[in-house]
Amino acid sequence: MAAHIRRRLRKGATTTAVAAAAVAALAASQAPAAPLAEGSTGGDQQTAGGETGGPEDGAATGNSPYYTDLPPLVTPDRPGSSSNLPAATGSAEAGIPASVLAAYKQAEQTVGTTDAACRLPWQLLAAIGKVESGQARGGQVDANGTTPTPILGPALNGEGFALIKDTDGGAYDGDAVHDRAVGPMQFIPSTWATWGQDANGDGRKDPNNIYDAALAAGRYLCAGGRNLAVAADLDRAVLSYNQSTEYLRTVRSWFAYYQRGTHEVPDGSGVLPTAPSTPSPSPTPTPSPTPGGTTSPTPSPGPSKPGATKPTPGPSKPGDGTTSPTPTPPRPTPPPKPTPSPADTLGSLENAGTGPLTATAGGTFDERVSVRARNALGAPMAQLPVTFTVTGTTGTLFDGGKKKVTVISKADGTATAPALKAGEKTGEFTVTATAGTTRPRTLTYAASVTARQADKIVRTDEKALVAAPGEKFADAVSVKATHKGVAAPGVAVTATMVKDSLGLIDNDKGPYFKDAAGKPLRTLDLTTGADGLLQLPEIFADENPGTYKLRLTTEGGGSVVIELTVQAPEETAPEETETPEA
């Protein structure tokens, strides 16, 4: 079996020896993989919006380092098949940890239901996963498929690698200065922000979860309408992951190997690649050539010719009026700021169970706004200041009369704002929770203030209301509104003259109110007083006698119908006078 090349390449580091070994491995294995397409180039990967480009011209990993170990020359003998082989079949290299293998196959099925034309094979995901992280470090994942610690590439600081400045505030990679490739499929944070998936249904898009990462890689490889059964499309897809011909050949060799068959091994027992090597230092600039084609040597200090340079003045003599210049001490270089660990980096801010935020004017909201902070590893984050801000014109404030409050998160990561007190103006407003400084996370809640309500309204007396045609009703109408048995102040009441008890048909004759100009008005909007009481304005009768109805309704469902009678006063007959008998 050929010796494996076990080293980690930096960006752009390809060698003739490795390329030859990759080709030899393919030839010796007689793998049925499609040939490399001529003229294959990278960097054509499209974003979710359909535009090309991005960090490192669209490379998912930012062209970060990868493992160059090649598969064994002897492959499992299952021509034309990619079914599982017994655990004892083939070499240890053919084994894929159980959770990792399940994630690849799940990703193939998921993509197949949404983008069947892509024809994504899980063996391609397995090949990339092998090259990028050694199948999640040999299957070091928990029951949910998440690595116990983040798998991080080196800082892409331009020193031996690409230069990609921080895009996530260190939320995924724990580095707030430069980006690093993250997780089993080694996405850089800016690419993960576009392509991240939640494949295991836990509500989080975690690049360190093999299920999330495998599905994201599958969708990324299929972007742009690719058909991965076509060699040219497959090559472009792999090169969009890392723009290196050697990378393509290495992934191709593992792809062909896994197509011949593989078997499942327990999580944590996969074959580990060698540790990545230290990146090579940046090359020393080459001296510029002279016009004759030779290189100008760097001049070495030597004695100067007479008259060629001014002599350096010696020490000043006492009293000659000159002073020796005082050398300027070198300015100390400030120490680099320590990069916060993922455990100390804010990763997300999520709703901690806050329900609908609704209250009547002047009332107190039953629900309190609550959030949960998590660090870059997804664990609850304690002792984090969270600021809550009310925005809107309803007059709503937190308990204590403030529009902005800051709360420190507890051990479970939760921070709960004080109770909200509704203002007197109805309408919509928002409450925003903000945490973090370098890259703040925000969460906004919609809330509303509704009108005060009364579920019942009744007359305060039972007097009959009668008026003669063209006259005013002598007795005033008084009512009281209550809500759940308690007086309801400030409740809107609508008074309408109607023809029927249900108030479905308005009346255009009979009793009426008067507007400011003294004109008849048969609908009026009123408001109850501080004790829930309301006395209606004067009511007048027109020239039409009869029995009429006045309906009062409130916000909250309260209603009452009051009868009004317009009739002429009864005439009294004159008393008869007896005539005395003669």
Side-chain angles (χ1 to χ4, degrees):
M1 183 178 296
H4 295 174
I5 301 172
R6 299 183 181 277
R7 59 189 179 85
R8 188 97 171 186
L9 286 187
R10 60 187 178 87
K11 176 179 179 288
T14 61
T15 67
T16 304
V18 175
V23 175
L26 285 171
S29 66
Q30 298 179 352
L36 294 175
E38 295 199 10
S40 296
T41 57
D44 72 334
Q45 182 67 39
Q46 292 183 328
T47 64
E51 297 179 358
T52 60
E56 284 300 295
D57 296 327
T61 65
N63 293 335
S64 60
Y66 57 91
Y67 291 104
T68 60
D69 306 59
L70 294 175
L73 296 179
V74 178
T75 61
D77 188 15
R78 292 293 294 268
S81 172
S82 59
S83 59
N84 294 335
L85 299 178
T89 304
S91 69
E93 287 282 3
I96 299 178
S99 294
V100 179
L101 181 60
Y104 296 150
K105 292 185 175 181
Q106 176 179 297
E108 179 192 62
Q109 294 173 357
T110 301
V111 173
T113 61
T114 59
D115 189 5
C118 175
R119 300 177 69 180
L120 170 71
W122 65 260
Q123 292 89 346
L124 179 59
L125 296 176
I128 292 176
K130 179 69 174 181
V131 170
E132 293 293 345
S133 68
Q135 311 296 22
R137 293 174 177 161
Q140 297 288 341
V141 296
D142 61 19
N144 296 319
T146 303
T147 59
T149 58
I151 300 177
L152 300 175
L156 300 176
N157 55 13
E159 298 179 7
F161 306 117
L163 173 59
I164 303 179
K165 295 184 179 180
D166 174 66
T167 61
D168 68 329
Y172 292 120
D173 56 13
D175 191 335
V177 179
H178 296 95
D179 272 351
R180 300 169 182 256
V182 183
M185 304 304 280
Q186 289 289 278
F187 279 95
I188 55 174
S190 59
T191 307
W192 183 260
T194 300
W195 294 95
Q197 303 288 315
D198 176 18
N200 64 348
D202 64 355
R204 299 181 62 239
K205 298 177 181 179
D206 185 0
N208 288 297
N209 180 275
I210 186 58
Y211 291 95
D212 294 357
L215 181 57
R219 296 201 187 284
Y220 182 90
L221 293 167
C222 287
R226 293 194 184 102
N227 178 358
L228 299 182
V230 176
D233 277 5
L234 188 143
D235 289 351
R236 280 191 288 268
V238 174
L239 286 168
S240 75
Y241 218 87
N242 192 312
Q243 297 170 10
S244 162
T245 302
E246 171 60 22
Y247 179 85
L248 172 62
R249 292 188 181 278
T250 306
V251 170
R252 276 285 206 165
S253 66
W254 281 106
F255 178 45
Y257 183 75
Y258 288 135
Q259 282 185 313
R260 301 284 294 186
T262 185
H263 60 274
E264 178 184 300
V265 298
D267 287 346
S269 63
V271 176
L272 296 174
T274 57
S277 61
T278 304
S280 301
S282 299
T284 303
T286 304
S288 59
T290 60
T294 59
T295 302
S296 299
T298 303
S300 59
S304 60
K305 294 183 179 180
T309 57
K310 296 181 68 175
T312 303
S316 59
K317 296 179 180 180
D320 64 357
T322 63
T323 57
S324 299
T326 303
T328 303
R331 297 178 64 181
T333 303
K337 294 182 179 179
T339 301
S341 67
D344 297 326
T345 302
L346 176 61
S348 64
L349 203 61
E350 60 189 42
N351 185 2
T354 306
L357 295 169
T358 303
T360 57
T364 300
F365 285 76
D366 294 332
E367 289 283 333
R368 292 171 63 181
V369 179
S370 183
V371 300
R372 176 175 285 105
R374 294 186 183 276
N375 61 23
L377 301 177
M381 194 168 184
Q383 298 300 309
L384 179 72
V386 180
T387 300
F388 298 89
T389 306
V390 174
T391 304
T393 60
T394 63
T396 300
L397 300 171
F398 290 112
D399 193 17
K402 296 181 179 180
K403 296 188 70 171
K404 180 183 291 188
V405 295
T406 299
V407 179
I408 306 300
S409 63
K410 298 186 295 186
D412 62 354
T414 60
T416 303
L420 286 164
K421 178 75 173 180
E424 290 298 331
K425 186 176 179 180
T426 61
E428 307 291 326
F429 70 97
T430 60
V431 180
T432 302
T434 305
T437 54
T438 304
R439 196 173 171 85
R441 302 296 193 271
T442 61
L443 196 61
T444 300
Y445 297 81
S448 62
V449 176
T450 60
R452 294 173 183 262
Q453 297 183 348
D455 53 20
K456 189 174 183 180
I457 184 169
V458 297
R459 284 191 66 189
T460 57
D461 60 56
E462 298 296 330
K463 292 181 180 180
L465 299 171
V466 181
E471 299 295 331
K472 179 177 68 174
F473 284 82
D475 294 312
V477 178
S478 296
V479 294
K480 183 174 183 178
T482 57
H483 183 65
K484 296 181 180 179
V486 180
V491 174
V493 178
T494 300
T496 308
M497 299 297 177
V498 295
K499 290 183 178 180
D500 60 309
S501 298
L502 296 178
L504 301 178
I505 305 174
D506 293 352
N507 208 341
D508 57 359
K509 62 180 181 178
Y512 59 90
F513 302 105
K514 287 184 178 181
D515 63 12
K519 295 181 180 180
L521 192 67
R522 289 187 167 87
T523 298
L524 202 61
D525 291 326
L526 306 165
T527 304
T528 60
D531 50 5
L533 294 174
L534 171 64
Q535 180 172 306
L536 273 63
E538 293 179 328
I539 302 175
F540 299 87
D542 63 8
E543 300 299 332
N544 299 289
T547 300
Y548 300 89
K549 292 178 173 58
L550 167 63
R551 185 170 188 258
L552 304 177
T553 59
T554 68
E555 290 284 347
S559 67
V560 62
V561 177
I562 300 171
E563 191 171 277
L564 302 172
T565 303
V566 179
Q567 66 179 25
E570 295 182 2
E571 295 183 3
T572 303
E575 295 182 3
E576 295 182 359
T577 303
E578 293 184 3
T579 303
E581 294 182 359

